[in-house]
Amino acid sequence: MADNKRWYSDTGSHGDVVLATRVRLSRNLDGVPFPSRLSRDALARIAVTVCAVAEKFKDFDLRPIAMESLHPYEAVALAERHLISADFAAARENRVLLLSEDESIAVMVNERDHLRMQTMYGGLCTEKAYGVADRLDNAFDEVLTYAFDDRLGYLTQNPADLGTAMRASVILHLPVLSAQGVMLRFAATAPKLGLSVRSLFGEGASAKGDLYVLTNRVTMGLSEQAALQNLEAFTLQLATRERAAAETYVSQIAVQDRIRRAHGMLTNAMLLSADEMSEALSLVRLGSVYGILDVPAETVNELFVAMQPANLNCLAGAALDASDRDVLRARFVRSKLSE
Amino acid sequence: MLCRHCSKNEATTHIRSIIGGEAVETHLCADCAAVMGYAEAFPLFAGLSDLMFAALRNDAAVSTLSSKVVRCETCASSFEDIVRMRVAACPDCYRVFYDKFLPTLQNIHGKTHHVGKVAGGAHEDVKREHRLYLLREQLNLAIDERNFELAAQLRDEIKELEARGNG
Ligand SMILES: [Zn+2]
Ligand SMILES: [Zn+2]
């Protein structure tokens, strides 16, 4: 049942290159100051109201989670799985998360805007992700009065979000374009199309695991459909380039050697740091996509997500220190890859 | 401080993010930050860039010279407050200071008028305008694809909707 799978366990359309598609919509209640300007009581009232509204939804089964009730690493683990923002995990007071069982729908209550709802699925699926977000938005809109202006669209705390207040993103794995050092050049063309590219992990040009996030930048004067089409078109362009470059790349014996050595390292290591793992996993994923290794791509996707520090802490049920995490990470990766 | 990426230019963009559970600070020059897409990466911490708010600051300077400071009735913010905070305080701020926001919006988006989904609370005529916009987009597409049957159907629908607006 593809629909019950979490985004990182499901390889969808164009799954060789696209790990996931996410759509986020920001909404605010009319006549109410934005969360950063509200008292504790006022924030609590908003949380109660929104939860009461969501409880009555027939099409969406959302469970409320009081962010304050979570252990810090549990909150960060949610951010590592891209279900909430880093800030929502860092400052948890008066914030509530509404989450569906399969994690495909998440609503942040009292983030920078009153409501920030997101949908996330495996593969490239802008239409599906927006479709579900749109229906959820309509369900809230039937009951709540949104802050909306004829000229400016949905009113949001940050003027950069005005208009559709929609951020649509895709997570891309581009190991060959990264290895050939052309990613920065492609990234530089993205702003011309109203898009931005950044690395998923890490900082700077060294995108750990060769994972990138492509997001629409412009929200004003461009319909949701047009923005999604731009995003999808650029994604397909990158995917085409990656595949074209990969054909000759993976046929090289030196590359195949690196892929198999990476796999050997991951299946044998006793200690594994996050960086070391990401680098090797990227090669293993490449080997998996091009039939060099017999490892399902979704297994690699899951490891990318599950082996991040806070998620490892959740697995262990304790806040481990880095060296203990390296032991646990190595053990988990070994067992996962020899299944 | 030099840019962490190119080590050549002065770092002007400071990014705080949580990577793998640990807060990480990155310092980049504007060029590298733009290439890496950081301008949009963490808007929560970043707010708007100085450049984007330059136009606003000039406006605010003028407004403090006049004796009467205009404030948003809902949140009591003056426009100067908004410039200082770099974000709006409540939805009504946009309605009160609409004209003053326009140069910033032009800077960020290149456009100042919303196109797209309309909230349920919006006026009927806004909803009709939006429906018309979508129908016209579909009509253009139908003509491009030489689907004349659909085009005729869409034209009728547009005519009917326009008539309702004028009636
Ligand atoms: Zn630089
Ligand atoms: Zn206000």
Side-chain angles (χ1 to χ4, degrees), chain B residues 142-165:
Chain B
I143 292 168
D144 283 350
E145 288 171 353
R146 307 183 73 77
N147 186 345
F148 298 117
E149 199 179 322
L150 179 65
Q153 210 177 309
L154 288 165
R155 256 191 220 102
D156 288 348
E157 223 175 307
I158 290 169
K159 238 180 255 165
E160 195 187 320
L161 206 59
E162 280 172 340
R164 228 187 294 164

mmCIF file of all heavy atoms in Angstrom, chain B residues 142-165:
data_model
loop_
_atom_site.group_PDB
_atom_site.id
_atom_site.type_symbol
_atom_site.label_atom_id
_atom_site.label_comp_id
_atom_site.label_asym_id
_atom_site.label_seq_id
_atom_site.Cartn_x
_atom_site.Cartn_y
_atom_site.Cartn_z
ATOM 1 N N ALA B 142 -6.077 25.406 -24.510
ATOM 2 C CA ALA B 142 -6.922 24.645 -25.441
ATOM 3 C C ALA B 142 -6.646 25.075 -26.879
ATOM 4 O O ALA B 142 -6.578 24.247 -27.793
ATOM 5 C CB ALA B 142 -8.391 24.844 -25.090
ATOM 6 N N ILE B 143 -6.469 26.389 -27.081
ATOM 7 C CA ILE B 143 -6.195 26.898 -28.432
ATOM 8 C C ILE B 143 -4.827 26.398 -28.901
ATOM 9 O O ILE B 143 -4.669 25.939 -30.033
ATOM 10 C CB ILE B 143 -6.269 28.442 -28.465
ATOM 11 C CG1 ILE B 143 -7.729 28.888 -28.231
ATOM 12 C CG2 ILE B 143 -5.764 28.988 -29.804
ATOM 13 C CD1 ILE B 143 -7.894 30.370 -27.959
ATOM 14 N N ASP B 144 -3.845 26.463 -27.984
ATOM 15 C CA ASP B 144 -2.500 25.955 -28.309
ATOM 16 C C ASP B 144 -2.550 24.495 -28.753
ATOM 17 O O ASP B 144 -1.838 24.075 -29.664
ATOM 18 C CB ASP B 144 -1.566 26.071 -27.087
ATOM 19 C CG ASP B 144 -1.081 27.499 -26.894
ATOM 20 O OD1 ASP B 144 -1.323 28.320 -27.798
ATOM 21 O OD2 ASP B 144 -0.474 27.779 -25.842
ATOM 22 N N GLU B 145 -3.391 23.747 -28.057
ATOM 23 C CA GLU B 145 -3.471 22.311 -28.342
ATOM 24 C C GLU B 145 -4.472 22.021 -29.464
ATOM 25 O O GLU B 145 -4.766 20.860 -29.744
ATOM 26 C CB GLU B 145 -3.871 21.553 -27.061
ATOM 27 C CG GLU B 145 -2.753 21.513 -26.028
ATOM 28 C CD GLU B 145 -3.203 20.964 -24.684
ATOM 29 O OE1 GLU B 145 -4.429 20.738 -24.498
ATOM 30 O OE2 GLU B 145 -2.334 20.778 -23.810
ATOM 31 N N ARG B 146 -5.023 23.070 -30.065
ATOM 32 C CA ARG B 146 -5.996 22.958 -31.163
ATOM 33 C C ARG B 146 -7.220 22.134 -30.756
ATOM 34 O O ARG B 146 -7.811 21.435 -31.580
ATOM 35 C CB ARG B 146 -5.329 22.380 -32.413
ATOM 36 C CG ARG B 146 -4.064 23.126 -32.830
ATOM 37 C CD ARG B 146 -3.464 22.597 -34.109
ATOM 38 N NE ARG B 146 -4.238 22.953 -35.305
ATOM 39 C CZ ARG B 146 -4.227 24.146 -35.863
ATOM 40 N NH1 ARG B 146 -3.499 25.114 -35.360
ATOM 41 N NH2 ARG B 146 -4.941 24.398 -36.943
ATOM 42 N N ASN B 147 -7.574 22.213 -29.478
ATOM 43 C CA ASN B 147 -8.774 21.535 -28.996
ATOM 44 C C ASN B 147 -9.926 22.534 -29.067
ATOM 45 O O ASN B 147 -10.272 23.204 -28.103
ATOM 46 C CB ASN B 147 -8.546 21.055 -27.556
ATOM 47 C CG ASN B 147 -9.701 20.204 -27.048
ATOM 48 O OD1 ASN B 147 -10.789 20.188 -27.639
ATOM 49 N ND2 ASN B 147 -9.458 19.504 -25.948
ATOM 50 N N PHE B 148 -10.517 22.640 -30.271
ATOM 51 C CA PHE B 148 -11.480 23.726 -30.512
ATOM 52 C C PHE B 148 -12.815 23.490 -29.838
ATOM 53 O O PHE B 148 -13.516 24.433 -29.488
ATOM 54 C CB PHE B 148 -11.641 23.939 -32.022
ATOM 55 C CG PHE B 148 -10.340 24.346 -32.665
ATOM 56 C CD1 PHE B 148 -9.729 23.556 -33.626
ATOM 57 C CD2 PHE B 148 -9.706 25.524 -32.262
ATOM 58 C CE1 PHE B 148 -8.511 23.931 -34.191
ATOM 59 C CE2 PHE B 148 -8.499 25.900 -32.835
ATOM 60 C CZ PHE B 148 -7.906 25.105 -33.794
ATOM 61 N N GLU B 149 -13.164 22.225 -29.661
ATOM 62 C CA GLU B 149 -14.422 21.907 -28.977
ATOM 63 C C GLU B 149 -14.374 22.449 -27.537
ATOM 64 O O GLU B 149 -15.279 23.138 -27.083
ATOM 65 C CB GLU B 149 -14.611 20.392 -28.979
ATOM 66 C CG GLU B 149 -16.046 19.977 -28.724
ATOM 67 C CD GLU B 149 -16.169 18.453 -28.759
ATOM 68 O OE1 GLU B 149 -15.481 17.821 -29.601
ATOM 69 O OE2 GLU B 149 -16.919 17.912 -27.947
ATOM 70 N N LEU B 150 -13.261 22.142 -26.874
ATOM 71 C CA LEU B 150 -13.078 22.609 -25.486
ATOM 72 C C LEU B 150 -12.998 24.128 -25.447
ATOM 73 O O LEU B 150 -13.584 24.772 -24.578
ATOM 74 C CB LEU B 150 -11.803 21.991 -24.891
ATOM 75 C CG LEU B 150 -11.458 22.400 -23.460
ATOM 76 C CD1 LEU B 150 -12.510 21.906 -22.480
ATOM 77 C CD2 LEU B 150 -10.079 21.854 -23.054
ATOM 78 N N ALA B 151 -12.303 24.715 -26.423
ATOM 79 C CA ALA B 151 -12.147 26.169 -26.472
ATOM 80 C C ALA B 151 -13.505 26.866 -26.560
ATOM 81 O O ALA B 151 -13.764 27.849 -25.864
ATOM 82 C CB ALA B 151 -11.257 26.563 -27.650
ATOM 83 N N ALA B 152 -14.372 26.329 -27.419
ATOM 84 C CA ALA B 152 -15.712 26.917 -27.579
ATOM 85 C C ALA B 152 -16.479 26.845 -26.261
ATOM 86 O O ALA B 152 -17.122 27.811 -25.836
ATOM 87 C CB ALA B 152 -16.469 26.186 -28.684
ATOM 88 N N GLN B 153 -16.373 25.692 -25.633
ATOM 89 C CA GLN B 153 -17.045 25.467 -24.348
ATOM 90 C C GLN B 153 -16.548 26.482 -23.303
ATOM 91 O O GLN B 153 -17.336 27.080 -22.581
ATOM 92 C CB GLN B 153 -16.695 24.047 -23.900
ATOM 93 C CG GLN B 153 -17.738 23.351 -23.075
ATOM 94 C CD GLN B 153 -17.232 21.933 -22.787
ATOM 95 O OE1 GLN B 153 -16.823 21.195 -23.688
ATOM 96 N NE2 GLN B 153 -17.243 21.571 -21.517
ATOM 97 N N LEU B 154 -15.213 26.668 -23.260
ATOM 98 C CA LEU B 154 -14.616 27.589 -22.296
ATOM 99 C C LEU B 154 -15.035 29.028 -22.598
ATOM 100 O O LEU B 154 -15.314 29.810 -21.692
ATOM 101 C CB LEU B 154 -13.087 27.469 -22.317
ATOM 102 C CG LEU B 154 -12.519 26.190 -21.692
ATOM 103 C CD1 LEU B 154 -11.055 25.986 -22.073
ATOM 104 C CD2 LEU B 154 -12.649 26.230 -20.168
ATOM 105 N N ARG B 155 -15.096 29.373 -23.885
ATOM 106 C CA ARG B 155 -15.509 30.733 -24.278
ATOM 107 C C ARG B 155 -16.915 31.038 -23.771
ATOM 108 O O ARG B 155 -17.172 32.116 -23.249
ATOM 109 C CB ARG B 155 -15.434 30.881 -25.805
ATOM 110 C CG ARG B 155 -14.220 31.674 -26.228
ATOM 111 C CD ARG B 155 -14.251 32.066 -27.690
ATOM 112 N NE ARG B 155 -12.914 31.926 -28.240
ATOM 113 C CZ ARG B 155 -12.496 30.923 -29.001
ATOM 114 N NH1 ARG B 155 -13.348 29.981 -29.378
ATOM 115 N NH2 ARG B 155 -11.255 30.863 -29.413
ATOM 116 N N ASP B 156 -17.812 30.060 -23.928
ATOM 117 C CA ASP B 156 -19.191 30.230 -23.434
ATOM 118 C C ASP B 156 -19.195 30.476 -21.931
ATOM 119 O O ASP B 156 -19.890 31.360 -21.426
ATOM 120 C CB ASP B 156 -20.034 28.973 -23.746
ATOM 121 C CG ASP B 156 -20.337 28.873 -25.236
ATOM 122 O OD1 ASP B 156 -20.100 29.881 -25.937
ATOM 123 O OD2 ASP B 156 -20.779 27.800 -25.682
ATOM 124 N N GLU B 157 -18.395 29.668 -21.244
ATOM 125 C CA GLU B 157 -18.345 29.758 -19.781
ATOM 126 C C GLU B 157 -17.824 31.142 -19.340
ATOM 127 O O GLU B 157 -18.339 31.745 -18.409
ATOM 128 C CB GLU B 157 -17.423 28.657 -19.238
ATOM 129 C CG GLU B 157 -17.972 27.947 -18.022
ATOM 130 C CD GLU B 157 -17.084 26.782 -17.601
ATOM 131 O OE1 GLU B 157 -16.783 25.921 -18.474
ATOM 132 O OE2 GLU B 157 -16.675 26.737 -16.441
ATOM 133 N N ILE B 158 -16.802 31.622 -20.072
ATOM 134 C CA ILE B 158 -16.222 32.932 -19.752
ATOM 135 C C ILE B 158 -17.252 34.031 -19.989
ATOM 136 O O ILE B 158 -17.435 34.930 -19.168
ATOM 137 C CB ILE B 158 -14.948 33.183 -20.592
ATOM 138 C CG1 ILE B 158 -13.817 32.260 -20.107
ATOM 139 C CG2 ILE B 158 -14.506 34.648 -20.513
ATOM 140 C CD1 ILE B 158 -12.602 32.228 -21.008
ATOM 141 N N LYS B 159 -17.968 33.940 -21.130
ATOM 142 C CA LYS B 159 -18.976 34.943 -21.472
ATOM 143 C C LYS B 159 -20.051 35.022 -20.382
ATOM 144 O O LYS B 159 -20.426 36.088 -19.931
ATOM 145 C CB LYS B 159 -19.620 34.581 -22.830
ATOM 146 C CG LYS B 159 -19.455 35.713 -23.872
ATOM 147 C CD LYS B 159 -20.090 35.335 -25.197
ATOM 148 C CE LYS B 159 -19.038 34.960 -26.232
ATOM 149 N NZ LYS B 159 -19.592 34.259 -27.408
ATOM 150 N N GLU B 160 -20.491 33.855 -19.976
ATOM 151 C CA GLU B 160 -21.550 33.767 -18.972
ATOM 152 C C GLU B 160 -21.100 34.405 -17.645
ATOM 153 O O GLU B 160 -21.821 35.182 -17.034
ATOM 154 C CB GLU B 160 -21.907 32.289 -18.745
ATOM 155 C CG GLU B 160 -23.214 32.072 -17.999
ATOM 156 C CD GLU B 160 -23.402 30.594 -17.672
ATOM 157 O OE1 GLU B 160 -23.077 29.754 -18.556
ATOM 158 O OE2 GLU B 160 -23.845 30.289 -16.563
ATOM 159 N N LEU B 161 -19.871 34.099 -17.268
ATOM 160 C CA LEU B 161 -19.313 34.601 -16.008
ATOM 161 C C LEU B 161 -19.124 36.117 -16.064
ATOM 162 O O LEU B 161 -19.398 36.834 -15.102
ATOM 163 C CB LEU B 161 -17.992 33.902 -15.715
ATOM 164 C CG LEU B 161 -17.571 33.805 -14.248
ATOM 165 C CD1 LEU B 161 -18.591 33.062 -13.428
ATOM 166 C CD2 LEU B 161 -16.216 33.074 -14.150
ATOM 167 N N GLU B 162 -18.679 36.603 -17.237
ATOM 168 C CA GLU B 162 -18.497 38.055 -17.420
ATOM 169 C C GLU B 162 -19.826 38.780 -17.336
ATOM 170 O O GLU B 162 -19.938 39.850 -16.737
ATOM 171 C CB GLU B 162 -17.826 38.330 -18.771
ATOM 172 C CG GLU B 162 -16.312 38.118 -18.731
ATOM 173 C CD GLU B 162 -15.674 38.190 -20.107
ATOM 174 O OE1 GLU B 162 -16.390 38.026 -21.117
ATOM 175 O OE2 GLU B 162 -14.460 38.409 -20.166
ATOM 176 N N ALA B 163 -20.843 38.178 -17.946
ATOM 177 C CA ALA B 163 -22.181 38.778 -17.953
ATOM 178 C C ALA B 163 -22.713 38.905 -16.523
ATOM 179 O O ALA B 163 -23.319 39.910 -16.154
ATOM 180 C CB ALA B 163 -23.126 37.926 -18.789
ATOM 181 N N ARG B 164 -22.468 37.878 -15.732
ATOM 182 C CA ARG B 164 -22.932 37.893 -14.345
ATOM 183 C C ARG B 164 -22.292 39.043 -13.560
ATOM 184 O O ARG B 164 -22.900 39.633 -12.684
ATOM 185 C CB ARG B 164 -22.606 36.551 -13.673
ATOM 186 C CG ARG B 164 -23.792 35.987 -12.932
ATOM 187 C CD ARG B 164 -23.412 34.760 -12.138
ATOM 188 N NE ARG B 164 -23.016 33.644 -13.002
ATOM 189 C CZ ARG B 164 -22.354 32.566 -12.564
ATOM 190 N NH1 ARG B 164 -21.996 32.497 -11.288
ATOM 191 N NH2 ARG B 164 -22.025 31.579 -13.370
ATOM 192 N N GLY B 165 -21.057 39.341 -13.911
ATOM 193 C CA GLY B 165 -20.337 40.407 -13.225
ATOM 194 C C GLY B 165 -20.891 41.768 -13.575
ATOM 195 O O GLY B 165 -20.933 42.673 -12.737
#
